[in-house]
Amino acid sequence: MKISLKLLLSTVVVMALALGFSGFYFVNYVFETSLAREVGQAADESSILSFAFETAALNVPVRYSVLPDSTVEEIASNLERGGRGTSRLIRIADEQKEILHTSDGFDADRQLLQQTWQDSKSYRVIRTPNGYYVHTCAAVSSLGRILYLETMKDISDVFTERAMGFSLYRKVTLLMLLIGTVIMHLIASLLTKPIRLLTRATRRMSAGDYAYRARQVSRDELGQLTRDFNDMANALEENIKKLEEENEAKEEFMGAFAHELKTPLTAIIGYADLLRSHKLDEEKSFLSANYIYTEGKRLEAMSFRLLDIIVAKKEEAELGKVRTTEIFEYLQEMFAEENRGMTFMFSYDDGIVFAEINLIKTVLVNLIDNACKASEEGSTIKVRGRRLDGGYRFEVEDEGIGIPEKEQRKITKAFYMVDKSRSRSKNGAGLGLALCEEILKIHHSGLSIQSEQGKGSCIGFTLEDNI
């Protein structure tokens, strides 16, 4: 069942109960008030008739020492005709509660008479075939006799008004419920509109439309829920895009990896088959073996780099204080011993950084190695280090081929090479910068690239000197 229907039914039930109980209480209160008034008037009329009877009895000629029954009937007849345009209903009984006079239409039983005694009054509300009456009974003392005077006052109008009141209130209640149902239907639809919009958005997103957003139509809790849902959808869409990008990157990685394996393996298998199936002279045998050795070394270098990248992604390095002088002295000693036909220039400030020294050495070695591969023999490679506010900047600058601007964002991907033929000729596999990027992530840093095609590149990174 929809929540709007639940809200509507709940409201209708509450309204029905509230109107029913309040209507019953109101009509019954009016009825009880009118009934009490009629009973009071009947009691007053009974007292007046008792007093009138006693007064009339006092006017009886003195020759009677005891009031005779005939006189009682005569007084009762006079009292019966003394109503305001209507006949009173009275009944008079003697001391033994034997009936002496009864008005026409007085059809009450004798129960109340049997319960009334000298110096007492009583009443009750009775229902007869002719309607509802207030039945009263009072003891009357006159000329030595105790008589019992009963009256009946018609109060059928009070009960008729109550029945009409209940009937009218039922009609009013039904009308109010009908109007209330229509109004609550509109209110429930308005209140649950954000939920319907959220449901629609959920279905659209489950169908693959991750860009769809729920429309906010209120500023209450449901409006806040809509905002939170849209924020969640934004985060979900971003995560899905990241997953798609990662999946695309993995597919590109696998394709590049397969291609990079295929090239050296084809050369190795081809030259190995040549050596196996043909008898070659010494020079051709050397060239074939040299091709096999060169491509094998390239496969070895690629395997080691891939292993380093995998380890770097999973490693959580323990960073500590490292003097930058120690790092640059290591680089100077290492590249001074290598004969690469390059001129290396080192300039640096003494400083302290928080790092894992061997990983940072690996990053700088890879950057310098890439600079050498991108440069012609006799070029100058500049390795610099300088203190900054809150950090230390490392830079490696070359005079090589440079990197086109549109490709600068791609060079940190595995197997990506700007000049593939040039990189392969120097045993490159496009993994050095990918390894550097992973190591710098551990150090909460990253590579920054400044390059112009044909004029060289400057690649650097910054490490914090405090954490």
Side-chain angles (χ1 to χ4, degrees), residues 64-75:
Y64 298 116
S65 59
V66 177
L67 190 65
D69 291 345
S70 58
T71 304
V72 170
E73 290 182 14
E74 183 181 352
I75 296 174

Side-chain angles (χ1 to χ4, degrees), residues 76-146:
S77 298
N78 293 332
L79 293 177
E80 182 181 334
R81 292 190 297 270
R84 297 179 181 176
T86 60
S87 298
R88 294 192 180 100
L89 298 177
I90 63 175
R91 184 169 64 184
I92 297 179
D94 60 13
E95 294 84 345
Q96 288 75 34
K97 298 185 178 179
E98 295 295 332
I99 304 301
L100 299 178
H101 175 81
T102 303
S103 299
D104 293 336
F106 195 107
D107 51 1
D109 58 24
R110 303 183 61 177
Q111 179 181 350
L112 188 64
L113 176 61
Q114 299 298 330
Q115 295 174 353
T116 307
W117 301 99
Q118 186 177 358
D119 298 329
S120 67
K121 294 180 180 181
S122 57
Y123 74 91
R124 63 174 179 168
V125 177
I126 61 174
R127 181 180 182 181
T128 69
N130 297 322
Y132 292 90
Y133 294 86
V134 177
H135 180 200
T136 66
C137 184
V140 179
S141 177
S142 180
L143 294 180
R145 297 189 68 176
I146 302 298

Side-chain angles (χ1 to χ4, degrees), residues 432-451:
L433 292 181
L435 175 61
C436 294
E437 189 72 15
E438 294 300 328
I439 291 175
L440 290 176
K441 285 181 181 178
I442 299 175
H443 290 77
H444 312 290
S445 184
L447 292 174
S448 62
I449 303 169
Q450 296 177 349
S451 181

Side-chain angles (χ1 to χ4, degrees), residues 261 264 268 293-308 427 429 431:
L261 282 178
I268 291 172
Y293 174 79
T294 302
E295 295 302 315
K297 291 294 290 182
R298 197 157 76 86
L299 283 176
E300 180 188 42
M302 183 172 63
S303 301
F304 286 152
R305 288 288 176 86
L306 283 173
L307 182 62
D308 289 340
N427 290 332
L431 295 172

Side-chain angles (χ1 to χ4, degrees), residues 52-61 67 71 75 142-143:
F53 186 90
E54 293 176 352
T55 302
L58 294 176
N59 294 326
V60 175
L67 190 65
T71 304
I75 296 174
S142 180
L143 294 180

Side-chain angles (χ1 to χ4, degrees), residues 155-221:
I155 58 170
S156 298
D157 290 344
V158 176
F159 287 87
T160 301
E161 290 175 358
R162 183 179 68 166
M164 292 177 60
F166 279 128
S167 177
L168 177 61
Y169 202 85
R170 279 194 295 269
K171 294 177 181 178
V172 172
T173 299
L174 291 175
L175 180 61
M176 293 296 294
L177 285 176
L178 180 60
I179 297 174
T181 300
V182 174
I183 295 175
M184 281 307 304
H185 176 69
L186 297 176
I187 294 175
S189 298
L190 181 63
L191 291 178
T192 57
K193 185 176 181 179
I195 299 177
R196 294 197 301 275
L197 294 176
L198 285 175
T199 302
R200 184 186 306 168
T202 304
R203 291 175 179 172
R204 291 281 294 271
M205 293 184 67
S206 64
D209 188 3
Y210 300 110
Y212 187 82
R213 296 292 179 268
R215 182 164 58 92
Q216 183 178 342
V217 295
S218 65
R219 298 183 179 275
D220 53 10
E221 291 82 357

